[in-house]
Amino acid sequence: MAPYRIVEHTADAGIHVTGGTLEELFSDAARGMMSVICEVPPEGWPETHVVELSAPDAESLIVDWLAELLYLLEVKNFFTTDPRVEKVEGGAMRAVVGGARLRGVVHATEIKAVTHHMISVDRTMNGFETTIYFDL
Amino acid sequence: MPDWTKCFDNISDYKIKIPRTCFEGMRVPGIIYAGPELLDDLKSDDAPQQVANVATLPGIVEYSLAMPDIHYGYGFPIGGVAAMSVEEGVISPGGVGFDINCGVRLLASTIEAGDARAKADELATMLFRDVPTGVGSTSDIRLRGGDMDKVLRMGAAWAARNGMGWEEDLEYCESGGALEDADPGEVGRRARERGANQLGTLGAGNHFIEVQEVEEIFDDRAARAFGLEKGMAAVMIHSGSRGLGHQVCDDAIRTMREAVVRYGYELPDRQLACAPVESPEGRAYYAGMCAAANFAWANRQCLAHTVRGTMERVFGASAERLGLRLVYDVAHNIAKFEEHEVGGKKRRLCVHRKGATRAFAAGHPELAQRHAGVGQPVIVPGDMGSASYVMAGTPQAMAETWGSVCHGAGRVKSRTSAKKEFNAASVLEDLAAHGVTVRAGSKKSLLEEAPGAYKNVDHVVNTCVNAGLATIVARLRPIVVIKG
């Protein structure tokens, strides 16, 4: 099964993500979100960012993590292609994020924000799953 | 999905009640305005659940309301309106949305629609070139030193007084284009970073600029007061507070998700995170939201200035000669303190409108002198292939919906299914057959916003009129559409 799939939403869009570990879940959620923005990653100069975050629970943490990648896109023109989440533990995470600094304007889907709408990170037989909605 | 129709209690052909007993925790009933032709869409959408969710919020007064363009959102439904008690109620960023003061402004003109049609191609190309659109787009407006704080305090006036507009524009903006309770200190570093180069940019998604024809006038007196004349061109601009507003909302939800635990609220959806209106968290959000709303008014003012410049070059005359006057500028994602009558007594309430437009009736003290006798102009954009409407507020809207009405056609198809169902060539062909010239950033954005993805705006407007919430003043047809 693919680690993420797009979920229908009348006005916006969501992704359903599965992962054997929280690290996989967080990495694939990032890939899923970037695929909503642009199916084919745009070209740019290679760059790497380190992201370290903490939050009260896994739901808040995964929303903050994706919001961080949106911030990098909007302010630093950095498009994530290779999100390597090294550790998610005790409400904290660390990731080394590979990607490209964009050369100009990209006509892609603009995600305004990552919502907390009905967010829940759940344990499954095979690991974890969650559904995250974006405001477009 | 639960069968909400089992709960529906029809008050009239245009008004449905969701009783309190329908969903656990509802403090007040829900009221959805939907005419017979909108019922099928309503039944196939989960938005009524969100109307019920809003009804569980502490301090909600009388009803959780939804306008006829209701559709599934996050937290509140799109089209949701809720008034909260200032003393006992909450303020919720989820009741405003990420795009704080997303809104619409309409410019009238004395350009014959036929002349605009004859130059449609040139207009489309020039507008698409002049107005920054798309992800990562920036404008030429550079904010220096204390400029950002001034924008956040002054709103549209900052742009108008820095050579980007006319003084009279301000009179025709809701709240004069600025909320005085704005506190730039409540707009954080990240929000400022995101907004720094975005003043005067359109954005993407459903944001647009349209050159339209005033096709039909339904109310001569109101149309005169609004400055609209049949057969003339008009320009409609739909945009909001860009990344700055999105970040202000994001930051507030982050604060409030922890406040919810502290205040002991049990919410059916985390996106409804909230805090008491009169709490430190509530006051901070409101002051930041007002500042973001002011940024949005400044943004639409800058966009209108760019549009005026483009029209000047295309038609070879000044914007003044072309009569490019502001009809009105309305917010449709906002929370405001307003005085309304509850049980025969005036009360100050915190009114949340998420995808809903303020629609004050004639005689309201907040209206511009020019509108005092006819009511506030309400701008209702339709899809890019059909029509948009200008309406006016009524006393019934004041009595029933805290002076609120719909904000657009409302989506009916998800973006994913729109992309699957339509193809770019036939959408462009259909639009051309309707005399519409389009420039979009990508095929994807064109398909996501295809006319078939929206409800029929006529049905939405008819429900508002038949329910007594607004009167129709004019219908406008698109000639040129610019999408991000």
Side-chain angles (χ1 to χ4, degrees):
Chain A
M1 200 169 74
Y4 62 83
R5 64 178 165 81
I6 308 288
V7 177
E8 302 250 340
H9 181 287
T10 318
D12 299 302
I15 47 169
H16 178 79
V17 196
T18 54
T21 61
L22 280 173
E23 286 78 8
E24 278 175 28
L25 186 82
F26 276 51
S27 293
D28 287 327
R31 287 191 186 93
M33 180 177 79
M34 299 320 285
S35 80
V36 171
I37 297 170
C38 210
E39 279 146 30
V40 182
E43 287 182 10
W45 291 279
E47 218 172 71
T48 303
H49 289 263
V50 174
V51 174
E52 289 177 322
L53 297 166
S54 60
D57 51 41
E59 286 82 3
S60 299
L61 191 60
I62 198 164
V63 170
D64 290 358
W65 153 240
L66 298 180
E68 186 71 18
L69 301 182
L70 282 188
Y71 165 78
L72 289 174
L73 176 61
E74 198 163 307
V75 174
K76 313 278 186 203
N77 284 325
F78 173 78
F79 190 96
T80 298
T81 54
D82 184 19
R84 274 162 287 159
V85 178
E86 293 177 344
K87 200 170 186 181
V88 182
E89 200 176 38
M93 66 165 291
R94 184 179 196 277
V96 178
V97 187
R101 185 145 60 88
L102 303 179
R103 295 193 174 108
V105 176
V106 179
H107 284 285
T109 300
E110 184 177 58
I111 294 183
K112 290 175 182 167
V114 184
T115 80
H116 289 71
H117 177 53
M118 304 310 277
I119 182 104
S120 175
V121 173
D122 299 313
R123 271 190 180 279
T124 64
M125 296 274 286
N126 304 315
F128 297 90
E129 66 175 6
T130 188
T131 302
I132 303 161
Y133 291 98
F134 306 112
D135 183 19
L136 303 185
Chain B
M1 195 165 76
D3 182 5
W4 281 97
T5 53
K6 282 186 190 156
C7 277
F8 285 174
D9 180 3
N10 283 30
I11 297 175
S12 75
D13 283 349
Y14 299 94
K15 198 172 165 184
I16 296 159
K17 185 174 174 183
I18 302 178
R20 279 179 59 188
T21 48
C22 198
F23 181 75
E24 203 188 323
M26 284 176 79
R27 295 166 193 261
V28 293
I31 299 275
I32 301 174
Y33 289 86
E37 55 286 72
L38 295 171
L39 274 184
D40 284 345
D41 290 339
L42 187 61
K43 285 174 190 167
S44 60
D45 200 77
D46 241 350
Q49 173 72 59
Q50 295 182 321
V51 175
N53 289 350
V54 172
T56 68
L57 291 176
I60 185 166
V61 178
E62 289 206 330
Y63 308 105
S64 164
L65 297 164
M67 299 297 115
D69 48 339
I70 178 176
H71 59 83
Y72 197 59
Y74 45 90
F76 273 48
I78 310 299
V81 178
M84 306 299 181
S85 157
V86 172
E87 300 78 22
E88 292 149 19
V90 292
I91 186 166
S92 172
V96 173
F98 286 97
D99 199 354
I100 294 166
N101 188 8
C102 185
V104 194
R105 71 164 47 194
L106 181 68
L107 300 170
S109 87
T110 51
I111 302 164
E112 298 270 354
D115 293 343
R117 225 175 267 286
K119 287 180 182 273
D121 223 48
E122 187 186 352
L123 262 175
T125 304
M126 297 276 281
L127 283 170
F128 196 63
R129 193 195 64 187
D130 293 350
V131 177
T133 62
V135 175
S137 63
T138 56
S139 77
D140 295 336
I141 301 165
R142 291 285 165 268
L143 299 176
R144 294 190 175 83
D147 285 348
M148 178 60 97
D149 280 8
K150 288 180 191 161
V151 170
L152 296 173
R153 266 199 204 95
M154 295 167 67
W158 179 85
R161 286 168 196 162
N162 280 282
M164 290 176 279
W166 309 341
E167 197 64 26
E168 71 162 45
D169 292 343
L170 307 178
E171 202 182 338
Y172 302 121
C173 290
E174 178 176 330
S175 300
L179 297 176
E180 58 185 23
D181 293 329
D183 180 359
E186 295 297 343
V187 176
R189 181 181 58 83
R190 285 201 160 189
R192 287 164 183 266
E193 278 180 336
R194 287 179 74 172
N197 299 320
Q198 291 185 332
L199 204 57
T201 63
L202 186 66
N206 59 0
H207 292 162
F208 66 80
I209 292 176
E210 283 189 11
V211 179
Q212 304 170 329
E213 171 180 8
V214 181
E215 186 186 49
E216 196 60 59
I217 298 287
F218 298 87
D219 178 340
D220 286 329
R221 185 166 159 254
R224 265 197 309 279
F226 295 173
L228 291 169
E229 198 180 326
K230 186 177 171 174
M232 298 297 150
V235 186
M236 195 176 276
I237 299 168
H238 177 207
S239 189
S241 49
R242 313 289 295 112
L244 182 136
H246 311 163
Q247 189 69 44
V248 166
C249 179
D250 215 37
D251 292 345
I253 291 178
R254 222 162 276 172
T255 307
M256 287 198 185
R257 71 188 179 196
E258 286 162 40
V260 162
V261 180
R262 226 173 19 257
Y263 292 108
Y265 296 150
E266 280 187 30
L267 303 173
D269 180 355
R270 283 189 185 218
Q271 189 65 30
L272 290 171
C274 53
V277 175
E278 294 288 14
S279 65
E281 298 89 351
R283 276 195 289 267
Y285 166 66
Y286 180 66
M289 185 219 68
C290 288
N294 292 350
F295 186 86
W297 269 308
N299 187 39
R300 287 195 292 277
Q301 183 67 40
C302 294
L303 286 165
H305 175 68
T306 305
V307 166
R308 280 174 173 154
T310 307
M311 302 290 271
E312 285 179 337
R313 285 195 301 284
V314 172
F315 292 98
S318 71
E320 288 84 353
R321 284 281 305 275
L322 297 170
L324 283 160
R325 298 180 64 181
L326 182 58
V327 173
Y328 209 62
D329 179 307
V330 286
H332 52 224
N333 282 0
I334 206 156
K336 290 171 106 176
F337 289 99
E338 293 172 359
E339 205 169 77
H340 290 279
E341 213 170 282
V342 184
K345 283 186 189 156
K346 290 268 183 206
R347 270 179 74 181
R348 191 166 165 263
L349 303 171
C350 180
V351 181
H352 295 64
R353 296 190 181 93
K354 186 179 185 190
T357 310
R358 192 188 78 172
F360 282 174
H364 195 283
E366 274 201 40
L367 296 190
Q369 201 182 357
R370 194 172 168 168
H371 305 145
V374 292
Q376 181 208 302
V378 174
I379 305 164
V380 184
D383 64 75
M384 62 170 131
S386 58
S388 294
Y389 285 87
V390 176
M391 305 203 290
T394 63
Q396 200 167 333
M398 299 307 297
E400 287 190 19
T401 60
W402 318 117
S404 313
V405 76
C406 67
H407 85 308
R411 282 193 81 95
V412 70
K413 272 191 188 7
S414 74
R415 290 162 201 268
T416 321
S417 56
K419 274 184 286 187
K420 273 186 212 151
E421 205 168 305
F422 309 124
N423 79 71
S426 66
V427 169
L428 283 172
E429 212 170 280
D430 282 355
L431 289 169
H434 284 89
V436 184
T437 303
V438 187
R439 294 285 186 281
S442 65
K443 273 187 192 172
K444 192 174 159 190
S445 72
L446 179 74
L447 292 176
E448 286 178 355
E449 293 296 313
Y454 283 85
K455 294 182 192 184
N456 183 329
V457 70
D458 292 351
H459 296 165
V460 171
V461 164
N462 285 342
T463 293
C464 294
V465 172
N466 288 320
L469 303 180
T471 56
I472 303 181
V473 177
R475 184 173 65 230
L476 302 99
R477 287 259 168 219
I479 299 172
V480 168
V481 179
I482 303 301
K483 302 286 298 181

